[in-house]
Amino acid sequence: VGLVLATEGGVNVLYAADQPRGRVIKFNTATGAVIAAYGKQGNANGDFNSPYGLARDLATGDLYVAERGNHRISRITSSGTFVMAWGALGTGAGQFTEPVGVAVDAAGDVYVTDHANHRVQKFRVAQTGGTWAATHLASWGAQGSGNGQFNLPYGITADAAGNLWVADGFNGRVQRFNTSGVYQSTLGSAGTAPGQFVITTWVGLH
């Protein structure tokens, strides 16, 4: 489902979330060869339940995996070693109901589209005294079709200018926010004409 491109040791690689099998597969983009596969369907550390969105931390090369079925975000290294996970089923701060999209900004902060809670959550991930933790910084959004509201949001991505782009699923649009969650603009609307969408699922930048 989710994809991440990266260059590691001069090799261009693609990470892909293999959702039905609960794993992340790493490919050599030049040859198509599988370099490695990480995890299996499950809820143990390092396994995944319905992995959807992927994002890469630019400073470390670690990957974040949005686990829709485990209602959590996992972090693994580029070689598949489990680093940390956070979240549980619920509606409180730091909890998720089917997290689908995940993004990392230039500062290393992590954003999650909390799909069935119709919101985006922001976290700061850091290691203190050898222990990794994700601190909840903010949440925004509620179910609806107004500016800053969502109807089952899916993918999210961050650009270099400090914008967040959210695929607002069943509202058939993409919304842009700053990293504090302040609404900026909307692209598209629900429909089938050019520039309209039926269900916006993923969003990417070139």
Side-chain angles (χ1 to χ4, degrees):
V1 184
L3 301 170
V4 165
L5 284 166
T7 301
E8 298 174 358
V11 177
N12 293 325
V13 300
L14 173 72
Y15 294 91
D18 186 9
Q19 181 262 333
R21 295 180 178 87
R23 62 184 182 174
V24 174
I25 305 176
K26 183 178 180 179
F27 296 90
N28 181 316
T29 63
T31 65
V34 173
I35 298 171
Y38 308 136
K40 64 182 185 302
Q41 188 75 21
N43 56 19
N45 290 341
D47 292 333
F48 309 109
N49 186 347
S50 196
Y52 262 67
L54 299 178
R56 184 171 180 266
D57 180 75
L58 295 178
T60 64
D62 288 357
L63 294 175
Y64 291 102
V65 184
E67 294 187 64
R68 188 172 185 174
N70 278 332
H71 311 285
R72 70 183 181 186
I73 306 298
S74 287
R75 177 170 173 158
I76 61 173
T77 68
S78 59
S79 58
T81 301
F82 174 80
V83 176
M84 66 176 298
W86 76 92
L89 177 62
T91 60
Q95 296 180 320
F96 307 109
T97 304
E98 300 182 19
V100 169
V102 59
V104 184
D105 68 14
D109 289 337
V110 179
Y111 304 83
V112 179
T113 47
D114 190 4
H115 179 71
N117 284 328
H118 311 282
R119 65 185 179 183
V120 172
Q121 295 196 64
K122 177 180 180 178
F123 300 88
R124 179 149 299 153
V125 178
Q127 187 179 33
T128 304
T131 301
W132 285 92
T135 302
H136 180 266
L137 298 180
S139 297
W140 66 89
Q143 188 170 19
S145 57
N147 292 340
Q149 295 181 321
F150 304 108
N151 188 357
L152 296 171
Y154 280 85
I156 184 170
T157 193
D159 67 23
N163 297 301
L164 298 168
W165 303 82
V166 182
D168 187 10
F170 283 76
N171 279 329
R173 64 187 181 182
V174 175
Q175 294 194 72
R176 180 171 63 97
F177 300 85
N178 68 18
T179 55
S180 298
V182 177
Y183 169 82
Q184 303 291 315
S185 63
T186 294
L187 297 176
S189 61
T192 59
Q196 294 184 318
F197 307 101
V198 177
I199 302 173
T200 47
T201 322
W202 298 108
V203 59
L205 300 169
H206 185 271

